[in-house]
Each structure stands twice: as C-alpha cells, then as structure tokens.
Amino acid sequence: MLEVLANRTYRHLFLAQVIALVGTGLATVALGLLAYDLAGGQAGTVLGTALAIKMVAYVGVAPVASAFAERLPRRAMLVGLDLVRAAVAALLPFVDQVWQVYVLIFVLQSASAAFTPTFQATIPDVLPNEKEYTRALSLSRLAYDLESVASPMLAGLLLTVVSFHSLFAGTVVGFLASAALVVSVRLPSHERTERRGIYDRTTRGLRIYLATPRLRGLLALNLAVAAASAMVIVNTVVLVQARFGLTQRATAFALAAFGGGSMVAALFLPRLLDRVPDRKAMLSGASILVAGLALGAVVPTFHWLLWPLWVVLGLGYSLAQTPSGRLLRRSSNEQDRPALFAAQFALSHACWLITYPIAGWVGAIVGLTPTFLLLASIAAVAVFIATRLWPAHDPDEIEHAHPELAADHPHLVSVANRAPSSQRHTHTYVIDSHHTEWPRLQ
C-alpha cells in the first residue's frame, strides 16, 4: 500500500490530507470545550446545532462549489480554500457569542465542502493506474481512522500544558501546512470543455450520478453505511457511560474498536479488490452492517458484546464505503469527475442528515434496543434496493447506438471499432453530453 507514496505528487497530497485531518481533529476537541465555555450545560445543544450546520453546508455547498471549480485551476482553488479554513480557525478563539460560533462553523464547513470533493477528484488523475488508486483509497481510509484515534490523544497531551484556545493554533498550522504542500506540486490541468450554464454545471454531477445504475446502488449503500455509523457516533457514549456506567476512557476504547475494525478492512481491501468485484465486496460490507445492527439489539443486556461488535461494524463500514471512489472514477470522464465527487459528497452526507437524528431522537425517546432494530431495518432495505439498482452484470464497455448523430459526427468517427456505415459502437460508457441515458444491456 505504501508503494503509492513513491509518487511525489501523491505523497505531498497525502501528507496535506493527514496534516489537515489532525488540525481538524484538534479543532473538534477545542470546539466542544469552547461550546461548554460559552453555554455551560447547554453545550450539547450548541454542538448539535453546529453538527447540523456542518451537514447542511456539506449537502448544499458541494455541488455549487463544483460548478465554479470547473473553471478554476485546481491548485489555486485548493490552496485558497485551505487559507480560508486557516483564517476561520484563527478567529474561533476570539468568539464570545454562540451565534458567532455558528457563522464561523458554516464558513469553515462550506470551505471544506468545496475542498474535499475537489481534492478527492484530483487523486484519480494523479494515479491513473487502477491498482495504485485502490491502494490510495485504502491509505486514505487508514488516515481517517488513525486521525479519529490520534487527534483526541494529541489534544489531551496538549491540554496538560496549554489552554484549549491554543488547540485552534494547531488547526491553523495544519491548514497552512496543507496549503504549502499543495503549492509544492504540479496538479493535472483540466481538459478544456464546452462552456456550460451555471445550472448545468451545478446539477451535472447529480444528473450523472442518478443516471448511472451502479451509482444509484451506491446511494442506497450510502444509506446503509450512514445507519450503522450514526448509531456508533451518536450512541457509543450513551451505551458506555449512561447504560453501562463506565468511564470516558471506556468510551474512547469503544470508538477505537470501531476505528480498528475499519483499519483492518482498509489493510486487506487492495488485495481483496484485485480478486473480487466492487459490487460483491461492497454488498458484503453492507450486509455485515445489517447483521451487526441487528445483533446490537442485545448489547444493552450483554455489554461485553459492544467492543467486538464495534470492531465488526468498523470492518463492514470500511468494506462498504472505501471502494466508492473506484465507482466514481469508472463512471465519469476527467472533466466531469469533480462534479461527480461533489454529488457523492453531498448525497452521502444527506444520508447522515437523516440517520443522525434517528439515532439520537429514537434512542432518547424509545430506547436503544428499538433504535438498533430500526436502523438495522433501514440498512437492510437499503441493501436490498442496492441489489436491484446495481445489476450484477456491470461491464465498463457497452455496445450502443446514436441514431440522433450524423454518420460523420466526431464522436462516431473517433471510435475505432465502429462498424463501417453503422452508428452502433462499443466503448467505455459514462453519462456525458453524448450519452444522457444508460443503455439496456442485452
């Protein structure tokens, strides 16, 4: 997996990602302490509102940002967004009103909603070889999981010598270092395309996504992934400390168990995906999530099940989610890739916007056992829908016709294997200006 780091451009981008993730992790810890400093016992309300603002920014801003990004140099855009995030983090220690937190969080997360899909869409162009890109996806998954464990530990160590306000300085340094690393490399340039209206550019990724069968299946799998991860993120502390009466350290261990399971899956995924199709691997991972959530219904009674169950859910989570970048890459040409990654970013977070409240509110009102069963049912329905939307026979190259095009149209002429005097031809099929619907497979 580490062999992909031999590519200098990818190595710098990966380091930029890791450093920015650590900075964001420090900000997450500091934000919780800032909320308590400003709101005392109402800190949970402040954080809950901030999380909702984050999700709204992710869902609403990403497609719009991708529309404008189409005409901007990628490197300049990524660096500019890092600088915006650094500026917001620098302002956070000085706020003294809750509304100021909300405004700055919206700006910060809007910048992240523009940065992350653009960054993700750049990696397939840097690593065009599919095996290398698969290893990069797993490495990225490991980085996310390690950050979830390392950042709180680092924050705890720093808080023994500095105030929580100083953690925001670490966030600023992280974003500035990320910007410097992006500046240090040359990124692939955009392929020039025809000019499009703002509406077309804003909705293009969503239209490609919903017109592609494998991506409609991915959307259903996103819901299954969101159902399981929402249960873990929202209710781990409730299970460990309120239900079992254990300590904050036990909560940290439980979250680490989930991250550990995800890391194990990320480690063996590159070899697995060399032998197993994406569809089979992702459906297997989602099925593990369904079974894990159903088994979780007995966790409130048998608390020793929690830690191994969280490991299993982490494994299923990574198995179902990590290969999604491969699907997006297969389903788009270079110029539409940022828009498609932005659509995935927005739609996947829309799923979390649904499952977070379910995990929290149903758990608080009805209880944790019914919540496990409800989320397991949602995930099971999502997996079933995915199997119907994403056909098992899913070739990259598809024979199709263009009756609407003249025989000498450049698109027809450019395809070498076209039969003479025929408008039928075969090539890698993606939704674009010449292919607006998915053909029926014979």
Side-chain angles (χ1 to χ4, degrees), residues 31 34-35 38-39 42-54 57 88 92 95 97-110:
L31 186 62
L34 176 63
L38 293 175
Q42 299 300 311
T45 302
V46 174
L47 287 175
T49 304
L51 181 62
I53 290 171
K54 171 183 175 179
V88 172
L92 278 169
V95 304
Q97 299 291 328
V98 170
W99 68 266
Q100 296 170 348
V101 174
Y102 295 156
V103 171
L104 290 177
I105 288 300
F106 181 78
V107 175
L108 176 65
Q109 301 302 343
S110 295

Side-chain angles (χ1 to χ4, degrees), residues 177-400:
S178 172
L181 284 163
V182 174
V183 166
S184 70
V185 295
R186 184 184 298 276
L187 300 182
S189 59
H190 287 294
E191 181 180 329
R192 301 307 298 174
T193 60
E194 73 275 10
R195 298 195 66 85
R196 304 168 181 150
I198 184 63
Y199 173 80
D200 181 58
R201 285 185 283 146
T202 301
T203 61
R204 189 169 186 82
L206 184 62
R207 286 183 283 115
I208 293 172
Y209 198 109
L210 297 179
T212 306
R214 70 177 72 96
L215 297 185
R216 292 199 294 265
L218 174 61
L219 178 56
L221 291 179
N222 285 338
L223 183 58
V225 167
S229 58
M231 189 68 197
V232 172
I233 293 168
V234 173
N235 286 320
T236 295
V237 66
V238 179
L239 278 163
V240 174
Q241 292 177 226
R243 181 78 180 189
F244 304 150
L246 302 176
T247 64
Q248 293 180 352
R249 180 176 294 182
T251 299
F253 282 140
L255 291 172
F258 179 77
S262 181
M263 284 189 282
V264 169
L267 286 170
F268 70 70
L269 257 176
R271 290 183 179 274
L272 178 68
L273 293 176
D274 284 343
R275 300 188 299 270
V276 176
D278 293 334
R279 182 181 185 272
K280 185 175 182 180
M282 296 176 75
L283 287 173
S284 297
S287 299
I288 290 172
L289 296 178
V290 173
L293 286 170
L295 182 60
V298 302
V299 163
T301 304
F302 302 100
H303 66 84
W304 54 269
L305 273 175
L306 179 65
W307 285 265
L309 178 60
W310 259 218
V311 171
V312 171
L313 287 177
L315 191 149
Y317 173 84
S318 186
L319 189 56
Q321 186 185 57
T322 303
S324 60
R326 288 163 54 101
L327 301 190
L328 299 172
R329 182 189 182 208
R330 285 177 60 197
S331 305
S332 59
N333 52 41
E334 181 183 345
Q335 59 267 33
D336 289 329
R337 200 166 287 148
L340 193 59
F341 272 83
Q344 162 67 2
F345 187 81
L347 291 171
S348 61
H349 283 88
C351 292
W352 272 301
L353 197 57
I354 294 169
T355 56
Y356 274 141
I358 292 175
W361 297 342
V362 175
I365 296 171
V366 180
L368 293 176
T369 294
T371 305
F372 270 113
L373 294 175
L374 175 59
L375 290 172
S377 300
I378 291 172
V381 171
V383 172
F384 174 75
I385 292 173
T387 63
R388 309 306 297 172
L389 294 177
W390 184 357
H393 179 55
D394 183 28
D396 287 338
E397 295 191 350
I398 302 175
E399 183 181 4
H400 58 283

Side-chain angles (χ1 to χ4, degrees), residues 22-28 85-86 89 166-176:
V22 172
T24 303
L26 293 177
T28 301
R85 297 196 292 180
S166 299
L167 296 183
F168 290 117
T171 303
V172 174
V173 171
F175 289 140
L176 292 177

